[in-house]
Amino acid sequence: MLPGKNSEERKPVDEVEIKLNINGNVTQVKTEASTTLLYMLRDDLGLTGTKDGCSSGDCGACVVMVDNKPVNSCMMLAPQAEGTTVITVEGLEKDDELHPLQRAFGETWAFQCGFCTPGMLISCYALLETNDDPSREEILTAIAGNFCRCTGYQGVVNAVQRAAAELRTKNEDTEKTDV
Amino acid sequence: MEEFNYLAPESFDQAVVAKSQHAEKSRVIAGGTDLLLRMRDKVVAPSVLIDLRHTSLDKILISNGVMILGTSASLSQILENSEITQHFPALQTACREFAGPPIRNRATLGGNIVNASPAADLVPPLMAYDASIVLRASGGDRALPLAEFFTGPGQSVIAPDEILMEIQIPLLPASSAATFIKLGQRRSMAISQVNLTARLSMNNSDCVTDARIALGAVAPTPVRAHSAEDALVGEKLSEDLIRMAAKKAREEITPISDVRASLEYRLEMTEVLVRRALIATWKKQRRTKTSG
Ligand SMILES: Cc1cc2nc3c(=O)[nH]c(=O)nc-3n(C[C@H](O)[C@H](O)[C@H](O)COP(=O)(O)OP(=O)(O)OC[C@H]3O[C@@H](n4cnc5c(N)ncnc54)[C@H](O)[C@@H]3O)c2cc1C
Ligand code: FES
Ligand code: FES
């Protein structure tokens, strides 16, 4: 696993074939059983939005959705993801439009270097899937596994609340048009 | 990481067969949040991994006055279960203070036990609630009190052909209350410097009828503070009695200094935290009594 599948340390091994749904596309990948989901996404599929900050579950830069729950992709073997549905940061935008959370992150200065942002976005996205009006405390709990080493967390809290408000208004509008 | 063969048996029976076939050469993988790090650091190098993900061992249910938790129940599942909120709230507190949400979505109860870390957060509450475990091998099942499972840091009595199947906790009378406290270097994402659970049963005249004090990260394995418990049982609870029991708990433990805390700090904080946990538990008792 660390530091990735191209490392010289690695010996060639039997490949495993994995089928899963990534960002809405059914995908078939040949990789090695010891590859983590993180490096399968980055090296085998070119989805480099998901970052490796520690490869030990501590920093949250690698967080992706697996079957509707945020998990550390560095702590999961590729074959453990067989048959699952995965959403990465690349899957948040729809029809070439950024997700309201992504826009709010920019508008509230929720990042500087951006390294923690993909994982942070996924943890916040997971929160908004189950809570459309989170409190500051609930947001801090949701991102307790995501470390930001250069910006801090206040901007993230503001971004999530801004995006939540936008999504609520949108939903009300759709409900009205539905009637 | 060394290479391995990855197996994902379609049933628990098949997993048990695979475990007996590959024994020492194999490891069970549940959430992987401990095992993958150990494999990466080459502390362990199994040639076969047996993934329990298709074995339906994550059920949580109550049957005949016993709560049965499948070994693969994740910490998030434990947090969401309303029967655990009702009967074993200290176990949920331990889950809430464990890592962060993405780890809690993967990490399992059974993994926390079999990993046998002296600092495992879910073990003190389970021990204080008198949990027992069931191990299965192709030869049959074996049940034992959780407290008898651990033999040293990372060491336990599990045999190479055994798989932990479930954790059983007897439902408690309403007169029992418990408190979990974790001391870490920060509020989330911290391994415990000291963790503990205190549980008290009391009669109407504030007399202690039963006591459990289970401590983690202060000895080679999670431990019960038996002499502190004995000092409480049969006595009328008071702040002085609690202070005395907390001192006894301090005398019973054998902590070490490591990267997370010094020996002296652990001794001192164990006494403080046992006191706090007992007082908090006493208050909970009073509240249940006045409310019903
Ligand atoms: C970032 C991070 C933070 C953490 N924070 C905490 C914390 O706050 N508190 C804490 O206590 N721990 C913590 N841990 C450690 C770890 O997450 C827990 O111990 C977790 O409960 C392990 O469960 P798992 O399912 O991931 O185990 P795995 O890694 O899958 O397994 C652990 C061990 O148990 C064995 N095993 C698992 N299930 C079975 C079974 N059914 N039968 C036989 N053997 C089995 C495996 O072979 C392995 O040896 C943390 C880990 C990380 C990476
Ligand atoms: S890279 Fe996975 S948690 Fe840091
Ligand atoms: S924006 Fe740089 S680490 Fe968070």
Side-chain angles (χ1 to χ4, degrees), chain A residues 71-106:
Chain A
V71 305
N72 305 88
S73 61
C74 72
M75 298 300 290
M76 217 174 144
L77 294 171
Q80 293 184 288
E82 161 73 33
T84 62
T85 298
V86 174
I87 302 174
T88 67
V89 69
E90 289 91 346
L92 292 186
E93 62 170 48
K94 285 228 161 61
D95 308 325
D96 284 339
E97 273 212 34
L98 290 180
H99 188 278
L101 254 180
Q102 291 173 297
R103 250 187 300 109
F105 263 59

Side-chain angles (χ1 to χ4, degrees), chain A residues 16-33:
Chain A
V16 285
E17 191 150 334
I18 292 153
K19 202 168 153 187
L20 73 175
N21 184 314
I22 298 181
N23 299 330
N25 306 314
V26 176
T27 311
Q28 205 134 350
V29 201
K30 271 200 185 126
T31 190
E32 291 146 21

Side-chain angles (χ1 to χ4, degrees), chain B residues 229-290:
Chain B
E229 294 172 358
D230 292 345
L232 292 165
V233 175
E235 303 291 325
K236 193 174 156 66
L237 207 56
S238 67
E239 288 198 12
D240 282 345
L241 183 69
I242 285 175
R243 222 181 299 273
M244 195 262 285
K247 273 214 168 61
K248 283 200 184 285
R250 176 198 188 125
E251 285 158 15
E252 279 186 270
I253 56 172
T254 52
I256 55 165
S257 294
D258 64 14
V259 288
R260 283 185 274 277
S262 69
L263 184 162
E264 294 79 8
Y265 185 62
R266 286 193 159 107
L267 283 174
E268 191 65 30
M269 288 313 291
T270 297
E271 183 176 340
V272 171
L273 296 176
V274 167
R275 200 167 66 219
R276 280 187 200 161
L278 287 170
I279 287 175
T281 309
W282 190 15
K283 283 193 184 145
K284 283 178 199 162
Q285 289 271 2
R286 283 189 183 152
R287 236 176 290 143
T288 14
K289 265 178 215 142
T290 41

Side-chain angles (χ1 to χ4, degrees), chain B residues 62-120:
Chain B
I62 292 179
S63 157
N64 292 323
V66 179
M67 172 157 269
I68 299 171
L69 299 113
T71 180
S72 299
S74 71
L75 276 78
S76 299
Q77 276 176 274
I78 294 172
L79 278 169
E80 284 158 14
N81 188 290
S82 59
E83 285 173 330
I84 301 182
T85 311
Q86 188 190 340
H87 297 286
F88 308 109
L91 181 62
Q92 279 186 338
T93 313
C95 289
R96 209 170 290 119
E97 297 192 9
F98 189 112
I103 291 283
R104 294 201 286 266
N105 285 333
R106 297 287 301 162
T108 66
L109 179 58
N112 198 237
I113 293 172
V114 179
N115 193 48
S117 159

Side-chain angles (χ1 to χ4, degrees), chain B residues 93 97 179-183 194-197 273-274 276-277 280:
Chain B
T93 313
E97 297 192 9
T179 306
F180 171 86
I181 300 181
K182 167 173 177 169
L183 180 69
V194 177
N195 57 20
L196 76 152
T197 303
L273 296 176
V274 167
R276 280 187 200 161

Side-chain angles (χ1 to χ4, degrees), chain B residues 100-267:
Chain B
I103 291 283
R104 294 201 286 266
N105 285 333
R106 297 287 301 162
T108 66
L109 179 58
N112 198 237
I113 293 172
V114 179
N115 193 48
S117 159
D121 281 326
L122 306 188
V123 173
L126 289 173
M127 270 168 60
Y129 285 131
D130 292 340
S132 53
I133 59 173
V134 181
L135 302 167
R136 176 166 292 182
S138 45
D141 288 357
R142 138 169 110 118
L144 67 156
L146 177 60
E148 291 172 18
F149 180 69
F150 307 103
T151 54
Q155 305 290 315
S156 73
V157 300
I158 197 166
D161 65 340
E162 282 179 321
I163 298 182
L164 173 60
M165 181 168 80
E166 65 192 28
I167 295 87
Q168 303 183 345
I169 325 179
L171 296 188
L172 295 162
S175 62
S176 183
T179 306
F180 171 86
I181 300 181
K182 167 173 177 169
L183 180 69
Q185 281 164 324
R186 50 181 180 264
R187 255 177 56 208
S188 5
M189 304 302 288
I191 301 296
S192 290
Q193 296 164 309
V194 177
N195 57 20
L196 76 152
T197 303
R199 178 169 73 80
L200 293 173
S201 299
M202 285 160 68
N203 65 18
N204 285 331
S205 48
D206 255 7
C207 210
V208 180
T209 53
D210 206 8
R212 298 282 182 283
I213 297 170
L215 295 153
V218 294
T221 67
V223 286
R224 290 259 303 274
H226 288 288
S227 69
E229 294 172 358
D230 292 345
L232 292 165
V233 175
E235 303 291 325
K236 193 174 156 66
L237 207 56
S238 67
E239 288 198 12
D240 282 345
L241 183 69
I242 285 175
R243 222 181 299 273
M244 195 262 285
K247 273 214 168 61
K248 283 200 184 285
R250 176 198 188 125
E251 285 158 15
E252 279 186 270
I253 56 172
T254 52
I256 55 165
S257 294
D258 64 14
V259 288
R260 283 185 274 277
S262 69
L263 184 162
E264 294 79 8
Y265 185 62
R266 286 193 159 107
L267 283 174

Side-chain angles (χ1 to χ4, degrees), chain A residues 1-2 9-11 13 33-34 54-58 63 69-72 74-77 79-82 84 123 137 141-142 144-147, chain B residues 1-6 29-34 36-37 39-40 42 49 51 53-54 76 80 99-106 186-189:
Chain A
M1 88 204 227
L2 191 81
E9 265 184 50
R10 280 171 160 259
K11 293 174 243 150
V13 267
S34 61
C54 68
S55 265
S56 60
D58 288 298
V63 171
K69 293 199 177 75
V71 305
N72 305 88
C74 72
M75 298 300 290
M76 217 174 144
L77 294 171
Q80 293 184 288
E82 161 73 33
T84 62
S123 287
E137 199 53 38
T141 301
N146 296 86
F147 287 177
Chain B
M1 201 186 309
E2 301 293 326
E3 299 310 333
F4 52 82
N5 240 323
Y6 170 88
I29 181 163
T33 62
D34 272 315
L36 292 180
L37 292 180
M39 287 171 63
R40 184 192 68 185
K42 303 206 165 83
L49 275 193
D51 191 342
R53 61 193 290 252
H54 300 307
S76 299
E80 284 158 14
I103 291 283
R104 294 201 286 266
N105 285 333
R106 297 287 301 162
R186 50 181 180 264
R187 255 177 56 208
S188 5
M189 304 302 288

